[in-house]
Amino acid sequence: MLFFILLLASFFLFYRGNKAVPYLLTFYAIGYLIIYQVRFDRGTAWLFVSLTLFPLLGDMANILLQRSVPSSLEVMVRNLPLVLPLMALLHYRRIGPELLLNAISLMLVMALLLILVQYTGLIEFGTILMYQWRPSLWFNPVPFSNAIVFFAVFLLGLSLQCNLQRVRPALLAGVGASLLMVLLSETRGSLLALSLVTLCYLLLLFRRHRISPAMLVMLIALISISLLLVFGLQAERLQLGLDEFRSYFTGGAQETSVGIRLQVWQLAWQLFLDQPLLGAGVEAAIEIKQQMVQAGEIPAYVAMHHAHSDILDTLERAGLLGLAGLFWLYCMPVIFLRRRGCTWLEIAPLLMLIVAAFLCGLTDTPLRNGVSGNAFYLCLMFGLALALNLRAARLGEAG
């Protein structure tokens, strides 16, 4: 148990820890599966494999058509081995929501301590120079904050499955650390996603603990006031975003955060309409953009950026086939677990994770980035295992 807690807590603690932790879990699971001769739950195993590979079907087709390269698959395919820890957890069943909540809370608190060290300048990290004023350890601040949000909302979902009095200190520490890190990263999309999922959490909390409507109103009011204070701290960044949005429509295309997103969204949609079934493909899209730059149709800086949206990026690179795979990833885990007889409470951590991924994916591509993609699939694996194990325990008790 201690090994598991310390291993998971090291996700952000060293360079490429986001890659090492899933691989170490996989190696440990291989030994466990061999020693105990575990029989796979084939339905769950195939589900997880499909959640990893189906969003890539359009990319695979474009590789065959020589419009993409195999390296475009790596970020998501690297999560495929997590199917082995999933099978081990379905057999082991001793890693429950409380243990996982404490491990993730420890991870987030330790990451915050390193962030504060980086923010104060006591230790120099390998962060890209342009982002030194937005501390994010070894990562770009946007995918880093998306990863933090994924763990934070998963933490909220886990708390619904625990005794709140027992886990309250760990929960508050983990969520508080997450909020502070997202604020320091100054990532508006992540902050909005975390805020919206937190409000959804209150409704689930109301259903779980049957608190009175008056108490629910008070909690929502308290959270709303807290969010106003939080967004007040980000007022300068939010106002900058509004100004950039207005200036785009009044002064034309500009190389600003919002301006770039609006331009790459328009370009991604245009490339999708030219090849609606399979999209343009990664490499072919790069060539098309370079040709458009040379023809003076788009600024050079637009060609340097990805689509900054999971949906539009998928449409650009993999068309409708890719979009079908993306929505398979969003929808099938919940459908599968409900068909297996899991309750909404048992699904809560996974459901909140998927909602957060969708919200973060509106203005970025978290599933296509290393640290945020690894965080998502790691939580997805734990969410599937927990839901099925809680269901088995409930049925066993009933029997």
Side-chain angles (χ1 to χ4, degrees):
M1 294 296 186
L2 181 61
F3 167 79
F4 171 79
I5 292 175
L6 294 178
L7 176 61
L8 189 58
S10 65
F11 186 88
F12 294 110
L13 295 190
F14 58 93
Y15 183 60
R16 299 192 185 280
N18 61 298
K19 294 183 179 180
V21 169
Y23 287 146
L24 290 173
L25 283 174
T26 299
F27 291 143
Y28 187 81
I30 290 173
Y32 181 90
L33 294 170
I34 293 174
I35 291 173
Y36 291 97
Q37 299 181 348
V38 176
R39 295 181 61 183
F40 281 21
D41 179 339
R42 293 185 180 180
T44 307
W46 280 115
L47 171 70
F48 191 84
V49 171
S50 73
L51 296 176
T52 309
L53 296 183
F54 279 16
L56 300 174
L57 291 178
D59 295 87
M60 294 177 186
N62 281 321
I63 289 173
L64 295 176
L65 295 173
Q66 298 184 340
R67 298 192 300 193
S68 290
V69 292
S71 61
S72 63
L73 310 178
E74 188 269 338
V75 170
M76 295 185 73
V77 169
R78 76 166 70 137
N79 296 289
L80 187 59
L82 285 174
V83 68
L84 299 177
L86 173 58
M87 295 298 101
L89 287 172
L90 289 176
H91 182 267
Y92 185 60
R93 295 187 180 180
R94 295 182 184 177
I95 297 180
E98 186 170 332
L99 176 64
L100 194 54
L101 184 148
N102 287 323
I104 294 177
S105 293
L106 179 62
M107 170 212 299
L108 294 169
V109 170
M110 293 176 72
L112 174 62
L113 293 177
L114 274 184
I115 283 287
L116 294 177
V117 169
Q118 183 185 34
Y119 189 66
T120 55
L122 296 177
I123 297 179
E124 181 68 27
F125 288 82
T127 306
I128 303 172
L129 291 177
M130 65 178 292
Y131 294 123
Q132 283 186 343
W133 55 282
R134 296 168 63 185
S136 53
L137 301 180
W138 299 273
F139 312 102
N140 179 299
V142 177
F144 171 76
S145 62
N146 286 334
I148 294 296
V149 168
F150 293 162
F151 284 121
V153 300
F154 194 73
L155 199 68
L156 291 173
L158 289 172
S159 71
L160 295 170
Q161 301 170 344
C162 302
N163 184 320
L164 269 181
Q165 291 184 344
R166 292 176 57 180
V167 301
R168 185 179 291 120
L171 175 65
L172 293 176
V175 174
S178 302
L179 180 58
L180 186 53
M181 285 187 283
V182 171
L183 285 172
L184 289 174
S185 74
E186 299 190 11
T187 307
R188 292 164 294 207
S190 298
L191 181 59
L192 180 61
L194 181 58
S195 304
L196 292 176
V197 176
T198 300
L199 292 176
C200 294
Y201 167 74
L202 288 177
L203 296 177
L204 292 172
L205 190 67
F206 169 70
R207 181 172 181 176
R208 171 71 176 88
H209 294 282
R210 301 185 184 281
I211 59 178
S212 66
M215 180 62 70
L216 177 64
V217 171
M218 290 178 62
L219 284 173
I220 292 178
L222 179 62
I223 293 294
S224 300
I225 293 172
S226 301
L227 290 177
L228 288 175
L229 292 174
V230 167
F231 279 101
L233 294 173
Q234 289 284 303
E236 184 177 345
R237 287 277 296 168
L238 295 172
Q239 185 60 49
L240 177 62
L242 292 174
D243 291 342
E244 291 174 356
F245 183 81
R246 284 194 293 263
S247 65
Y248 177 84
F249 291 99
T250 58
Q254 299 179 19
E255 191 177 359
T256 62
S257 177
V258 174
I260 288 172
R261 277 172 168 78
L262 293 172
Q263 291 173 84
V264 295
W265 290 346
Q266 183 179 8
L267 179 58
W269 182 252
Q270 180 180 339
L271 293 178
F272 159 68
L273 292 179
D274 292 338
Q275 298 283 345
L277 182 58
L278 297 177
V282 176
E283 296 301 309
I286 293 174
E287 293 180 6
I288 294 171
K289 291 175 185 178
Q290 291 300 328
Q291 292 172 4
M292 296 177 73
V293 170
Q294 293 172 4
E297 298 178 21
I298 60 172
Y301 63 82
V302 174
M304 297 170 56
H305 292 273
H306 59 76
H308 283 282
S309 164
D310 267 333
I311 292 176
L312 288 171
D313 179 71
T314 298
L315 288 173
E316 176 188 306
R317 66 192 292 158
L320 292 174
L321 181 59
L323 185 65
L326 180 63
F327 277 93
W328 176 276
L329 174 60
Y330 287 149
C331 301
M332 277 310 297
V334 175
I335 295 173
F336 175 85
L337 292 175
R338 290 293 292 171
R339 287 184 174 178
R340 282 286 186 99
C342 295
T343 65
W344 287 110
L345 177 61
E346 292 161 350
I347 298 173
L350 186 142
L351 179 61
M352 295 174 73
L353 170 71
I354 292 174
V355 171
F358 175 79
L359 292 173
C360 290
L362 294 176
T363 56
D364 196 53
T365 54
L367 302 181
R368 296 281 184 172
N369 183 275
V371 62
S372 51
N374 290 152
F376 174 82
Y377 275 98
L378 193 62
C379 290
L380 179 68
M381 182 269 291
F382 283 127
L384 288 170
L386 279 176
L388 292 171
N389 287 344
L390 289 173
R391 167 190 169 275
R394 172 170 52 82
L395 294 179
E397 292 174 358

